[in-house]
């Protein structure tokens, strides 16, 4: 376990499980947490692994720390304090999974949007009520949410204050699955087990080409060329053709 103040990290051979650990504040994202998330990203950039993000207690994260936000001014806004770390999480080399229980609101919702895949317990709720506090959902919701669920639903959430319960989030494509309350982390770990059986290099390159802007057939071809030359590809295909267990 890494000794952090508001993150708990558990390292596995192919993954890191990170728990937002401010349950007394419903895991509100504060400056210390942002700093520790940057440290986490640095570690995963050096040694790429699957990332699972979850929250301690009953909520994933009920938002950013409002007391801190109230004191921020123009310079802090231009620094993109929360947005920068969420963008860094979105750009991590290996797949990222948010295991969501309870509320994922404001900055907490935006943190889940930055992940590649989201799994939620039945009681999960997603929303961006920032406009009600006189600010913008500026840590990724304005560009990620519309891409994930479409502009119409994104406007209902950001402009209309709509809260998506787990069933609505699943129906609109925000979630990969809804499981019983309390089972989101276990389901995320099972998904990580499945992901972990794939080629790490193939996963990294697949994520890179999916996230590339615009049509990119040449990039796909170049990534495939790298994979075609890998020993891992040859071994995996040989196992398949010889019907050997993976």
């Amino acid at each position: 376990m890494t000794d952090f103040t508001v993150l708990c990290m558990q390292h596995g051979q192919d993954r890191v499980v990170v728990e937002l650990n401010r349950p007394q504040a419903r895991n509100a994202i504060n400056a210390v947490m942002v700093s520790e998330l940057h440290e986490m990203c640095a570690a995963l950039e050096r040694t790429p692994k699957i990332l699972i993000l979850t929250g301690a207690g009953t909520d994933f994260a009920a938002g950013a720390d409002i007391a801190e936000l109230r004191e921020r001014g123009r310079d802090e806004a231009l620094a993109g304090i929360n947005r920068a770390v969420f963008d860094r999480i979105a750009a991590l080399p290996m797949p990222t999974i948010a295991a969501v229980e309870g509320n994922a609101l404001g900055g907490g919702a935006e943190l889940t949007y930055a992940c590649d895949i989201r799994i939620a317990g039945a009681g999960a709720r997603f929303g961006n009520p920032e406009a009600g506090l006189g600010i913008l959902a500026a840590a990724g919701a304005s560009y990620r949410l519309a891409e994930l669920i479409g502009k119409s639903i994104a406007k209902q959430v950001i402009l209309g204050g709509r809260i998506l319960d787990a069933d609505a989030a699943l129906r609109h494509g925000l979630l990969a699955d809804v499981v019983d309350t309390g089972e989101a982390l276990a389901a995320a770990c099972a998904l990580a087990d499945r992901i972990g059986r794939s080629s790490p290099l193939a996963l990294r390159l697949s994520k890179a080409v999916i996230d590339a802007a615009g049509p990119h057939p040449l990039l796909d071809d170049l990534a495939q060329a790298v994979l075609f030359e890998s020993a891992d590809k040859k071994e995996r295909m040989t196992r398949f053709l010889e019907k050997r267990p993976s």
Side-chain angles (χ1 to χ4, degrees), residues 20 25 60 80 93 102 114 178 218:
L20 311 179
F60 178 82
V178 175
L218 178 58

Side-chain angles (χ1 to χ4, degrees), residues 147-220:
E147 184 175 300
L148 290 168
I149 63 175
K151 186 173 287 189
S152 175
I153 305 301
K155 285 183 175 181
Q156 293 175 40
V157 172
I158 296 171
L159 305 181
R162 180 179 177 185
I163 300 295
L164 298 177
D165 63 19
D167 288 340
L170 179 66
R171 187 167 65 251
H172 293 302
L174 184 62
L175 298 176
D177 199 6
V178 175
V179 297
D180 290 341
T181 297
E183 295 299 317
L185 179 57
C189 289
L191 175 59
D193 290 341
R194 187 163 73 245
I195 292 172
R197 291 193 287 271
S198 295
S199 158
L201 182 58
L203 289 169
R204 291 184 64 176
L205 291 175
S206 295
K207 178 171 175 174
V209 297
I210 290 170
D211 287 343
H216 41 71
L218 178 58
L219 178 58
D220 288 21

Side-chain angles (χ1 to χ4, degrees), residues 15-233:
R15 74 195 63 175
V16 173
V17 179
V18 174
E19 182 182 69
L20 311 179
N21 189 32
R22 296 186 71 208
Q24 75 285 357
R26 300 169 70 196
N27 300 322
I29 298 167
N30 65 358
V32 174
M33 189 179 291
V34 167
S35 176
E36 293 181 359
L37 287 170
H38 275 296
E39 291 184 54
M40 174 205 75
C41 287
L44 291 174
E45 288 158 357
R46 289 191 301 269
T47 306
K49 292 184 178 184
I50 299 165
L51 168 66
I52 299 173
L53 278 172
T54 191
T58 58
D59 293 305
F60 178 82
D65 190 298
I66 303 302
E68 288 189 1
L69 282 181
R70 186 180 59 181
E71 303 308 313
R72 290 181 186 175
R74 176 191 59 198
D75 291 345
E76 289 81 8
L78 291 172
I81 294 170
N82 289 10
R83 176 201 52 76
V85 74
F86 295 171
D87 285 354
R88 195 172 180 184
I89 289 168
L92 286 172
M94 289 288 280
T96 56
I97 306 167
V100 183
E101 300 282 358
N103 289 301
L105 302 175
E110 289 174 302
L111 178 53
T112 74
Y113 306 158
C115 293
D116 296 311
I117 300 171
R118 288 150 295 279
I119 293 175
R125 301 165 74 245
F126 299 82
N128 288 97
E130 285 89 343
L133 293 169
I135 60 173
L136 179 71
S142 61
Y143 48 96
R144 286 200 182 94
L145 188 58
E147 184 175 300
L148 290 168
I149 63 175
K151 186 173 287 189
S152 175
I153 305 301
K155 285 183 175 181
Q156 293 175 40
V157 172
I158 296 171
L159 305 181
R162 180 179 177 185
I163 300 295
L164 298 177
D165 63 19
D167 288 340
L170 179 66
R171 187 167 65 251
H172 293 302
L174 184 62
L175 298 176
D177 199 6
V178 175
V179 297
D180 290 341
T181 297
E183 295 299 317
L185 179 57
C189 289
L191 175 59
D193 290 341
R194 187 163 73 245
I195 292 172
R197 291 193 287 271
S198 295
S199 158
L201 182 58
L203 289 169
R204 291 184 64 176
L205 291 175
S206 295
K207 178 171 175 174
V209 297
I210 290 170
D211 287 343
H216 41 71
L218 178 58
L219 178 58
D220 288 21
D221 290 346
L222 290 171
Q224 191 74 296
V226 172
L227 291 169
F228 273 15
E229 294 297 318
S230 70
D232 190 36
K233 168 253 188 183

